[in-house]
Amino acid sequence: MKFICLKCESYLLYDMQEKIEESIGITFKCPQCGYRLAMIANAGETQLVHSMGIKIGGRTSPPEALEMTRTNLDEGAETGIDWSEEAERRLEQIPPFVRPMAKTGIERFARERGYREITLPVMEEAKKRFMG
Ligand SMILES: [Zn+2]
């Protein structure tokens, strides 16, 4: 089983995982456009996850190749946008599982607007836009 980015038609790569109570949240990321997809697997579905070749068990033992990919992707996604201390604190209040997606979204928003730094007002602006 693989996920495909409909925009770029390239395979999404395994990005990261978070444990959410009894379930495991796994995110995938498009190497082309940075699009992210998340799936939640409960304990009974972890077999499926294993069949996708993903190792479950926290961040201490991810395969090295994936770790490399992740680092490269993150570097590619960041184009010199800074987070103010306040904004970072606010980001930390977002549940860990959705935080990477929120962060990417806000950074994309900031980039579109030409902001170099993400501050609380920028986050508010981004939030307003995401909520329509
Ligand atoms: Zn894509």
Side-chain angles (χ1 to χ4, degrees):
M1 184 156 121
K2 279 185 186 305
F3 296 110
I4 294 175
C5 174
L6 294 176
K7 233 161 74 184
C8 318
E9 294 185 357
S10 59
Y11 288 123
L12 299 183
L13 300 175
Y14 167 71
D15 186 39
M16 59 175 285
Q17 59 177 278
E18 295 275 349
K19 207 161 185 306
I20 310 163
E21 287 163 11
E22 294 303 299
S23 304
I24 294 161
I26 298 165
T27 57
F28 296 85
K29 191 173 178 181
C30 173
Q32 304 286 327
C33 67
Y35 170 79
R36 275 178 142 129
L37 176 138
M39 65 170 265
I40 311 279
N42 65 33
E45 289 165 335
T46 51
Q47 193 59 36
L48 166 76
V49 176
H50 279 297
S51 73
M52 292 168 72
I54 293 165
K55 235 164 130 184
I56 297 173
R59 296 185 193 191
T60 46
S61 57
E64 205 176 317
L66 292 176
E67 197 62 41
M68 293 282 292
T69 308
R70 187 161 104 200
T71 308
N72 292 344
L73 286 172
D74 283 351
E75 274 169 11
E78 281 176 38
T79 49
I81 291 189
D82 290 324
W83 285 72
S84 77
E85 262 181 49
E86 284 172 327
E88 246 171 11
R89 266 201 296 276
R90 173 71 67 86
L91 190 72
E92 275 163 18
Q93 289 165 15
I94 298 172
F97 178 56
V98 291
R99 203 181 294 151
M101 276 170 281
K103 189 170 187 243
T104 307
I106 294 164
E107 283 179 353
R108 187 177 301 147
F109 172 83
R111 222 171 291 140
E112 281 169 14
R113 295 291 169 101
Y115 296 139
R116 299 294 308 271
E117 190 184 26
I118 290 158
T119 55
L120 282 183
V122 174
M123 283 180 94
E124 286 302 318
E125 229 182 298
K127 205 167 82 185
K128 259 180 234 152
R129 203 182 84 172
F130 294 144
M131 291 182 167

